[in-house]
Amino acid sequence: MRILFVAAEAAPIAKVGGMGDVVGALPKVLRQMGHDVRIFLPYYGFLPDKMEIPSEPIWKGYAMFQDFAVYESVLPGTDVPLYLFGHPAFTPRRIYGGEDEDWRFTLFSNGAAEFCWNYWKPEIVHCHDWHTGMLPVWLNQSPDITTVFTIHNLAYQGPWRWYLEKITWCPWYMQGHNTMAAAVQFADRVNTVSPTYAEQIKTPAYGEQIEGLLSFIGGKLSGIINGIDTEVYNPANDKYITQTFTTDTLDKRKANKIALQEEMGLEVNSGAFLIGMVSRLVEQKGLDLVLQILDRFMAYTDAQFVLLGTGDRYYETQMWQLASRYPGRMATYLLYNDALSRRIYAGTDAFLMPSRFEPCGISQMMALRYGSVPIVRRTGGLVDTVTHYDPVNNAGTGYCFDRYEPLDLFTCMIRAWEGFRFKPQWQELQKRGMSQNFSWYESAKQYDNLYRSMYGLPPQEEEETAPAPELILTEANGKS
Ligand SMILES: Nc1ncnc2c1ncn2[C@@H]1O[C@H](COP(=O)(O)OP(=O)(O)O[C@H]2O[C@H](CO)[C@@H](O)[C@H](O)[C@H]2O)[C@@H](O)[C@H]1O
């Protein structure tokens, strides 16, 4: 099938969070399964630093009283054709923010619709988050183009209808009161990125005010768990980490811990319990909970803590100040740095992710893959990807807690700190985590079936889509 992914992010060239990981990895796997998948992305001002882009556009269009140009390239490291939507509104060297954000991404969506109608006509347009939310509304005009809308973050719902009416075409049939609601109503299929979260968003606690609508469209709503790019994120051959390792050579991992302690200015001590966190610093990620207990945890234990993240100014300053109280034991790096994030996954003993809500979560899967034991709150995709450690039966992959309460997080972290003392059991726990299969293949199969269902086709037979050999985790050759 011809499928166009339309999104604001695509790793490795334009990524702020997990949506970039998904858009950067899923098309590659779907292409291996035989689909003609292409990506439509804004031409951000920083892109020429990261990849070759032809100077001549392949097509010029007009939307919302604006001229725009589309440039064709290939997503680096893949064979996925990449179309870049060129307009001066995207020239600044950033993805999100700025006063024109709502207008800018509505223009981008409108440009994508024009592109589908006039240049490359896909059978399916796969839209991601509110930035592309008007596409299902407009493409509703074209019976030969179907749409899938994936919710990565329900908390951001885009501009309200009264604003959209001022800047763009809102057809008479459109009912959604904001971009996200409109997309949910008009997309042929809606999915979010884990089965648990797909159920949770139908409730007031997680539905972000549109739980009624999400319950109403229940039949076309599903949850498909994300994967991670196991070729790119592979501890057996990752060139950004100090020492590569596999489950068979777990002892070598210690070199990464020592290198990380040196790099982040911590006391070098391979015996210390080192917890890491790589995160956007926003309410979703449970930062308020962390701030309520971390000081006490650091005072009570001899653990070390590293944080890599950017986000809300309040959380940035609070975490920064806390680090200054524990020199040599805690470090806060307020930056976005993919290479350093890998060294944190590869060098820490445990990875903290106490999210308030979590559609899926990519970071905990990366932590598991790199042998860092996740400490998570059981919500959304964290329920579907991390299982509770049971030392008696030697089962489970992480430390979990249920209630969004400081005391629950505190005791969970203490349990992990104590568990770390039992080295053989801890290593078994790490190995179990590293052996989980988070490759995109299983999820891609579900997306394939979702696409097929829109055309009345039966689900793909199991044997017809055997996993590509390079996606299977094989410790012997270090490939995944
Ligand atoms: N400072 C920093 N430096 C380097 N790397 C950093 C970083 N801060 C974050 N990252 C990286 O960004 C990604 C974060 O992905 P997550 O899925 O965990 O959360 P996010 O909330 O962004 O994604 C949303 O979309 C995804 C995709 O669907 C869902 O999994 C998730 O639940 C939803 O909230 C990871 O790859 C992480 O390593």
Side-chain angles (χ1 to χ4, degrees):
M1 288 181 187
R2 289 189 310 280
I3 304 165
L4 187 68
F5 271 54
V6 185
E9 297 181 39
I13 49 168
K15 170 180 156 185
V16 172
M19 182 173 73
D21 287 311
V22 174
V23 178
L26 180 57
K28 194 165 68 172
V29 184
L30 287 168
R31 280 180 79 84
Q32 287 167 3
M33 297 169 95
H35 293 294
D36 180 2
V37 187
R38 307 180 185 193
I39 300 174
F40 194 87
L41 185 81
Y43 189 156
Y44 296 113
F46 56 78
L47 286 185
D49 300 348
K50 304 196 171 189
M51 61 186 289
E52 288 285 319
I53 304 171
S55 55
E56 282 303 309
I58 49 151
W59 187 67
K60 289 184 178 169
Y62 185 73
M64 285 168 55
F65 310 110
Q66 303 286 315
D67 289 313
F68 66 87
V70 176
Y71 299 79
E72 185 173 11
S73 187
V74 175
L75 186 70
T78 73
D79 62 347
V80 184
L82 176 68
Y83 298 115
L84 297 170
F85 171 84
H87 183 276
F90 288 98
T91 307
R93 301 176 64 85
R94 50 135 160 79
I95 294 182
Y96 301 122
E99 285 183 0
D100 67 345
E101 189 177 75
D102 290 347
W103 180 83
R104 193 166 84 227
F105 282 110
T106 309
L107 172 67
F108 166 66
S109 281
N110 208 334
E114 292 290 336
F115 183 78
C116 296
W117 282 322
N118 298 300
Y119 185 81
W120 189 71
K121 190 170 198 168
E123 287 158 293
I124 297 169
V125 176
H126 191 149
C127 313
H128 298 264
D129 271 356
W130 75 263
H131 318 96
T132 58
M134 284 300 284
L135 269 168
V137 179
W138 293 320
L139 293 175
N140 196 49
Q141 298 282 313
S142 311
D144 47 353
I145 303 179
T146 52
T147 51
V148 175
F149 183 71
T150 298
I151 299 171
H152 299 269
N153 204 327
L154 196 57
Y156 306 105
Q157 301 193 351
W160 292 84
R161 184 176 173 156
W162 63 264
Y163 178 73
L164 291 166
E165 276 172 350
K166 276 205 300 195
I167 63 163
T168 192
W169 177 55
C170 294
W172 60 268
Y173 55 77
M174 176 178 157
Q175 289 158 7
H177 64 278
N178 64 30
T179 327
M180 175 75 79
V184 167
Q185 260 170 332
F186 286 95
D188 295 286
R189 294 287 185 279
V190 177
N191 83 296
T192 185
V193 284
S194 69
T196 300
Y197 190 65
E199 287 305 314
Q200 286 181 323
I201 56 176
K202 295 182 200 161
T203 66
Y206 293 92
E208 302 285 349
Q209 316 284 323
I210 58 167
E211 62 276 4
L213 179 59
L214 289 161
S215 309
F216 183 69
I217 58 126
K220 66 173 185 181
L221 173 68
S222 62
I224 302 179
I225 197 86
N226 286 332
I228 53 174
D229 193 327
T230 46
E231 285 174 51
V232 174
Y233 294 99
N234 185 354
N237 60 20
D238 189 331
K239 62 179 189 297
Y240 295 104
I241 63 178
T242 307
Q243 173 65 59
T244 56
F245 60 96
T246 67
T247 44
D248 296 334
T249 56
L250 199 52
D251 287 336
K252 287 189 184 174
R253 193 176 180 275
K254 193 188 285 183
N256 291 312
K257 181 170 179 178
I258 290 169
L260 182 68
Q261 286 170 328
E262 279 168 356
E263 179 175 1
M264 299 197 82
L266 301 181
E267 185 190 317
V268 175
N269 174 1
S270 66
F273 182 51
L274 175 55
I275 303 179
M277 200 170 174
V278 178
S279 181
R280 294 183 298 112
L281 301 181
V282 293
E283 195 194 353
Q284 172 194 347
K285 301 296 179 183
L287 268 303
D288 55 328
L289 220 51
V290 173
L291 282 170
Q292 288 179 70
I293 58 103
L294 192 55
D295 197 2
R296 224 168 304 169
F297 177 79
M298 295 301 287
Y300 181 68
T301 68
D302 57 356
Q304 298 182 342
F305 192 96
V306 294
L307 168 77
L308 171 66
T310 54
D312 294 352
R313 184 62 61 88
Y314 173 76
Y315 295 129
E316 289 188 353
T317 48
Q318 291 291 314
M319 292 302 286
W320 176 268
Q321 279 173 13
L322 196 55
S324 69
R325 295 188 53 175
Y326 295 96
R329 285 187 54 209
M330 180 171 167
T332 294
Y333 277 41
L334 302 174
L335 8 132
Y336 184 91
N337 185 328
D338 180 61
L340 179 56
S341 77
R342 294 164 188 240
R343 292 195 284 276
I344 292 178
Y345 294 125
T348 50
D349 300 301
F351 186 83
L352 184 61
M353 200 156 168
S355 305
R356 184 183 280 275
F357 68 92
E358 198 57 76
C360 175
I362 300 274
S363 310
Q364 82 282 6
M365 291 193 264
M366 295 203 187
L368 283 164
R369 184 153 172 82
Y370 282 78
S372 185
V373 176
I375 301 173
V376 302
R377 170 158 180 257
R378 281 173 49 79
T379 183
L382 297 170
V383 176
D384 300 321
T385 52
V386 182
T387 49
H388 195 61
Y389 174 43
D390 171 359
V392 177
N393 296 305
N394 220 3
T397 54
Y399 287 84
C400 310
F401 66 101
D402 282 293
R403 291 179 310 167
Y404 196 77
E405 294 288 340
L407 193 59
D408 295 48
L409 171 61
F410 184 77
T411 42
C412 192
M413 287 171 72
I414 293 290
R415 273 193 286 126
W417 172 67
E418 285 180 339
F420 179 68
R421 285 196 224 147
F422 302 94
K423 294 291 180 278
Q425 288 84 345
W426 189 267
Q427 280 215 345
E428 285 306 309
L429 176 59
Q430 285 178 299
K431 284 184 189 173
R432 254 196 317 279
M434 289 175 71
S435 309
Q436 303 296 303
N437 181 4
F438 290 126
S439 95
W440 264 107
Y441 173 69
E442 280 306 318
S443 318
K445 242 177 14 187
Q446 293 182 46
Y447 277 106
D448 179 46
N449 286 337
L450 184 76
Y451 299 148
R452 295 169 72 85
S453 71
M454 292 194 292
Y455 284 87
L457 298 169
Q460 190 81 284
E461 291 298 324
E462 195 63 24
E463 55 277 13
E464 279 178 47
T465 55
E470 66 272 22
L471 291 176
I472 305 170
L473 185 79
T474 55
E475 281 148 24
N477 62 11
K479 277 198 88 184
S480 72

